[in-house]
Structures are given as structure tokens and as C-alpha cells.
Amino acid sequence: MKRPVVVVWTPRAWLVTTAAIGAVVVMLLVLARAAVRVSAPLSDAVCGKVIVIDPGHGGDDCGARGRSGLAEKDVVLDIGRHLAGLFNRVAVYTVMTRDEDEDLAGDGSLGPMQRKRLDLESRVDLGARSGADLYISVHANSFPEPVWSGAQTFYHSKSEESKALAQAIQKELVARLGPNLRKAKPGDDYFVLRKSKMPAVIVEAGFLSNPREESLLAQPDYRRRVAEAIFHGTVNYLVESYKRRRGAEGQRAGAEPVSDLRTEGPPHDGAESVLRSKVRAALNPADDEVILYFAGPTNFDDDLLPEIRKTAGIAEAASPEERASKIVAELLKGPAGGSVLCPTIPKGTRLRALRIADGVAYVDFSRELASSHWGGSRAEEITVYSIVNTLAELPEVERVQILVEGASAVTIAGHVILDEPLEPNFDLVRFAK
Ligand SMILES: [Zn+2]
């Protein structure tokens, strides 16, 4: 037979109970202060949404690293966890692609570059299966020189909703973490932005290659503020998107996910060919000169800038392949001595092979292109298009397939998958227009 529970009310028990009630009251007060309040109209736009939070990299893939050793994978996981906590408080469901220090590649027998591809595919699959409304990938940037700084958000240029989300987040990043002149930018080659079917953004929380930002990102309080900026930007976007749909549908805005299929069209628009011919006309290379693309020198132009260079033997090259190989050799050397431009290809990278067929240059680099890369999505994009844009100066080359150690469909730094020949991208080129 069960004995009844007898509560003996002693002065000591009273004290303990009072202390416990006091603690709960204090906790509620603290929570109320910290809580993110959502007013009634906002709740229709925000509550019940499902958001994928994707902290980049993980496990063996550290992503970018700061000078102090701070790893992108750890910074972004912490920001992702904070962000999930903020969303959960306003009844937004979150799906974390990872909540531990691990990647999503599964198969342990694959090489690092193949693992990164599988890892990115798994993240996108998880997003699709979750039926989420939004996809927010969190990364930290890195560049070959320490001058670049500032958090920045990227979107797919063919998705208006992604652009609106990215701009809303960028606005909060600037307002809450500034000074920062960066704007939301297209990042059409980033795998998770290309493949996600819902509005999707990549938030680069700052540059680990910039000592000031590295020390900020090392602080838990700063990472919390990054998460708050992403949270408030996303809420603002959801409210605006809700209002827009409500306006469009009369008073009947539903809770259905925003339909946002990427519109079809060429990967980079026609304005680039105009810029390209302007670059050529202005630089007017002689027969023994080539145009090479390197990274810009200041925090305001993390873009590609052309350098014109006299190259011995280029005019006499016996074949397009020989000419292309000579051009790549110049690119591998980096900017000319005394130039303010920055290299785009890691030291030690070698050209293994190059052939041209049907307008496509297949250019195979040694593993250093990936293994010694400094990381960061923008830096990866700059590396890829410094190669593609430079080679596409040859009349025989329309597109470029980059390979690493003979393998295609790999990734250099874990954001862009080289699964098809790429057309030159002059959106990335900064030039007096
Ligand atoms: Zn990254």
C-alpha cells in the first residue's frame, strides 16, 4: 500500500519555498526583459513559420580560420544556436542542419573535397524535406589580406524574396554592428542559394581574416548580437512579406509558404558583355599582353580588378592550349610586384593540365587550390572567377570547367560546387564604367 505524501510545513521549508518562488519571479522578470515581444498583428506573419538555420562547415571542415586559430565552424554554430533560441521564443520552428561540431557528409571513406559536396547536398535536402519557409545559412568570411571587414548577406539574384530577406537582414547587421558600408549582394554560384527552393540567404558574420573582427567574433556577446541582427532582419522581412501578400490577396493572407521558384534566365545578365568590351577597349591589350583578374585592394572593392601584363611568348604560342597555359601561369604568379592588387589563388597551386574543346577550357589545378585556400564564400567566388574571366579573354574559350587533381564537381572552400563549366561573370568586376 502506498503511503500518503505528507508535507511537513516547518519554518525551514517555508524559507526554501519562499526562496524558490522568489527565484521563479526573478527568472520571469529577466525573461520578460529579454523576451522578444511580438504584437498581435505580427504574430500572424511570424508565429508558426519554419526556418532552416544552417551553420556552415563542421567536423573536419573548419571553414575559414583567423590568425588566433578561431574557426568559422565554431563561430557560426554558436550564432546559429542563439538564432534558434530567438526564433523559438516567438513560436517560430527551427531546423538546425547541424547542432554539433560535425559535417553532414556521412560517408567517412570519401576525400575532403567530395565530402564537402555531399555535405552541401545534405543541407539542401534537409531544407527541402523540412518544408521550411526560409533558409538561413550562417558563415564567416576570410580574404587573403586583412583589410576587408564587415558582415554581409548574399542571395540568388533570380529570387526576389531572397533579395528582400537579404536586404532586411543586411539593414539590421549594419544598424546593430556597424560601421559597415557593405550591401546585400547576389551570390548566384553558392550551392545552397542555387539549390534551395525557398527564399534563402547566406549571412557572412564578418571577416576572420580581419584582426578586429576576429576578436569581436571571438566574444560570445558579439555573436549574440549578430544573431539578434539576423533575427530582427528576418522578422522585419516576414512582416513586410505578409503585408505585401495581404495587399495582393485582399484581406486573406494565408499561412502558406511564399512561392519563390527561381526564374529562368542566363546566369549573369547581358550588361556584363558591355562592361567586358569596355574593359578591353580601355586596356587595349597588345598582342604580347594579357588581361589578368585579381582581387581589389581595399575594403570597398572585394571585387575583381584587371591587370594588363606583357607576357613573353604569348603571341607566338603554337596553340590556344599553349596560350591558355601561359596565361594561367601568369595568374598563378599573382599580381605584379608593387601592385596594390591581391592574389586570388593560394601559394603553391600548380597547373596540372589544360585542354580546350567545344569552347570549354578544362583547367586542372593541384590540390593546393582547395587545401591552401583561405576560405570564405566571397573569397571562393573571387578565386573561381579570376580563373574563368581571365581564360575567357581567349577567343576560343566561352566557358571554363575548373578541376582539382583531375576531379570535377568538387569545391574549393565549401560554398561553390564546380559541377559545370562556368561563363565569365563581369558582375564581379569593378572598373570605371
Ligand atoms: Zn563558409
Side-chain angles (χ1 to χ4, degrees), residues 9 50 63 247 273 352 359 362 412 429:
W9 201 249
V50 181
S273 56
R352 293 177 79 236
Y362 297 84
I412 295 172
V429 176

Side-chain angles (χ1 to χ4, degrees), residues 28-207:
L28 284 174
L29 282 173
V30 169
L31 275 176
R33 257 196 87 214
V36 186
R37 292 214 187 88
V38 176
S39 64
L42 295 193
S43 69
D44 290 345
V46 175
C47 302
K49 293 285 181 200
V50 181
I51 297 181
V52 175
I53 298 174
D54 174 31
H57 313 277
D60 290 341
D61 173 15
C62 291
R65 246 189 212 287
R67 282 182 193 178
S68 74
L70 187 66
E72 177 183 359
K73 64 172 184 175
D74 300 324
V75 169
V76 299
L77 178 57
D78 191 50
I79 293 172
R81 284 174 176 158
H82 279 303
L83 188 55
L86 290 167
F87 280 132
N88 296 159
R89 280 198 225 163
V90 294
V92 167
Y93 301 99
T94 49
V95 178
M96 296 279 284
T97 56
R98 68 179 179 98
D99 200 9
E100 298 295 334
D101 180 15
E102 62 191 5
D103 67 18
L104 278 77
D107 188 346
S109 65
L110 293 170
M113 286 184 294
Q114 282 77 8
R115 285 187 69 81
K116 280 189 199 174
R117 184 199 166 91
L118 216 61
D119 170 71
L120 287 178
E121 285 171 346
S122 304
R123 288 169 199 255
V124 172
D125 279 355
L126 187 65
R129 277 186 281 115
S130 68
D133 299 285
L134 304 175
Y135 188 105
I136 300 175
S137 192
V138 185
H139 286 256
N141 229 328
S142 179
F143 248 52
E145 300 287 336
V147 291
W148 289 276
S149 67
Q152 188 164 31
T153 314
F154 294 90
Y155 58 89
H156 196 285
S157 65
K158 301 282 192 263
S159 161
E160 281 302 317
E161 293 296 329
S162 301
K163 183 178 180 181
L165 173 60
Q167 287 174 334
I169 292 175
Q170 187 65 26
K171 194 174 170 192
E172 291 299 317
L173 289 169
V174 170
R176 290 162 184 270
L177 309 172
N180 176 4
L181 294 172
R182 291 183 182 276
K183 293 185 165 58
K185 262 192 180 172
D188 291 2
D189 294 288
Y190 302 149
F191 190 79
V192 298
L193 301 186
R194 262 172 67 198
K195 299 291 181 182
S196 292
K197 297 287 182 229
M198 71 286 281
V201 292
I202 289 183
V203 180
E204 294 281 356
F207 283 78

